[in-house]
Amino acid sequence: MHQHDIRNIVILTGAGISAESGLATFRRPDGLWEGHRVEDVATPEAFRRDPELVQAFYDARRARLKEVAPNAAHQALARLDAEWPGELLIVTQNVDDLHERAGARRMLHMHGELKSAWCLGCGDRMHWEERLGDRPPCPSCGVAGKLRPDIVWFGEMPYDMDRINAALMRADLFVSIGTSGAVYPAAGFVQTARYAGASTLEINLEPSQGSFFFQSSRFGKAGELVPAWVDEILAGIVPS
Ligand code: BV8
């Protein structure tokens, strides 16, 4: 595809883009997150069974955000967002705030955010930076102990799927960065993009589970490969 054909870009990011900022990824060698399988603490059942454990798991991750900063990959995507004249949508699976702290605007969190709380009393969602483990009152309805992390758990419907699918169907280029391709529906986006005729590029430390579906792959650290790719695409060079 020639560069002038690329107008609309969709970028999917995963935990790998935040690894160099010091945030742990999910599929680590031991497969455990602080001793837990993610599938065991990131589910509505786990929250019903042991709310204190689940709240502590997210309180620790929310507090960690104060200690980390965006890396060169986040900054490069923010630069692309500021300078790309066509359509752009950064769909992140991450619940950290590093994309927005780097300055990205045209983005969404399909799996929710650590810095958002959801009141099961009144249904309101609100910006939240502190702990939820000590069952604080909801700022909207005043009821205590009804706030949960505004995070999409396994078995729950990801956010903004209509907007994501509309962007994928219009995409000329789909780029997946730092994700293992282990979790659906995000792992299926590359197939939707290809169906819509987009070029597809994977940037990851190692081949993802969906590597087969990508026309191009670049293996290495996001902090190095993403700035290089952004320079290319802004200079009119097509991925290969
Ligand atoms: C839904 C928030 C239905 C939580 C997350 C059987 C078959 C197929 C599917 C299913 C199945 N059984 C169940 C399902 C569905 C399930 C699913 O896919 N399960 C998997 C385990 C099989 N999916 C769901 O439940 C989803 N919901 O399907 O709803 C529905 C339909 C209608 C109505 C109602 C409901 C919801 C899934 C969302 C779960 N929440 N996150 C939290 O963060 O605590 S998922 C979580 O893991 C992440 O958000 C991310 O999406 C996912 C995978 O993580 P990655 O981001 O890819 O990170 P990972 O560690 O895996 O990989 C990192 C990669 O980076 C690695 O490849 C590594 O090599 C690379 N890397 C590392 N360092 C670097 C690097 N790359 C570059 N540079 C580096 N420096």
Side-chain angles (χ1 to χ4, degrees), residues 17-133:
I17 200 169
S18 298
E20 290 156 85
S21 295
L23 291 180
T25 62
F26 290 91
R27 270 137 204 95
R28 302 133 52 89
D30 66 1
L32 298 182
W33 182 296
E34 281 149 17
H36 304 289
R37 277 173 9 98
V38 170
E39 286 80 4
D40 292 342
V41 287
T43 66
E45 294 73 29
F47 187 60
R48 265 195 298 280
R49 188 172 59 237
D50 190 345
E52 286 72 28
L53 169 75
V54 173
Q55 293 287 24
F57 172 63
Y58 287 100
D59 284 349
R61 291 171 66 194
R62 191 176 306 106
R64 181 90 176 94
L65 291 182
K66 298 185 175 74
E67 302 159 5
V68 299
N71 64 57
H74 297 107
Q75 282 150 7
L77 292 189
R79 177 160 55 90
L80 178 68
D81 190 0
E83 298 178 19
W84 184 253
E87 292 174 18
L88 174 75
L89 182 60
I90 299 168
V91 179
T92 189
Q93 300 172 89
N94 300 338
V95 293
D96 64 54
D97 60 346
L98 296 176
H99 279 301
E100 43 273 62
R101 283 168 58 191
R105 295 277 173 277
R106 293 184 278 180
M107 66 165 289
L108 62 86
H109 286 270
M110 67 176 288
H111 289 158
E113 303 171 61
L114 284 167
K115 288 192 168 178
S116 179
W118 175 17
C119 179
L120 296 180
C122 67
D124 272 10
R125 287 171 168 81
M126 68 277 311
H127 185 81
W128 193 271
E129 304 239 359
E130 304 314 317
R131 292 166 36 78
L132 287 171

Side-chain angles (χ1 to χ4, degrees), residues 208-220:
S208 68
Q209 292 183 27
S211 207
F212 164 80
F213 295 108
F214 287 89
Q215 288 149 328
S216 312
S217 293
R218 296 184 188 181
F219 299 129

Side-chain angles (χ1 to χ4, degrees), residues 110-111 151-162 185:
M110 67 176 288
H111 289 158
I151 297 260
V152 177
W153 286 327
F154 289 93
E156 295 185 324
M157 193 64 181
Y159 287 131
D160 296 320
M161 286 304 294
D162 293 345

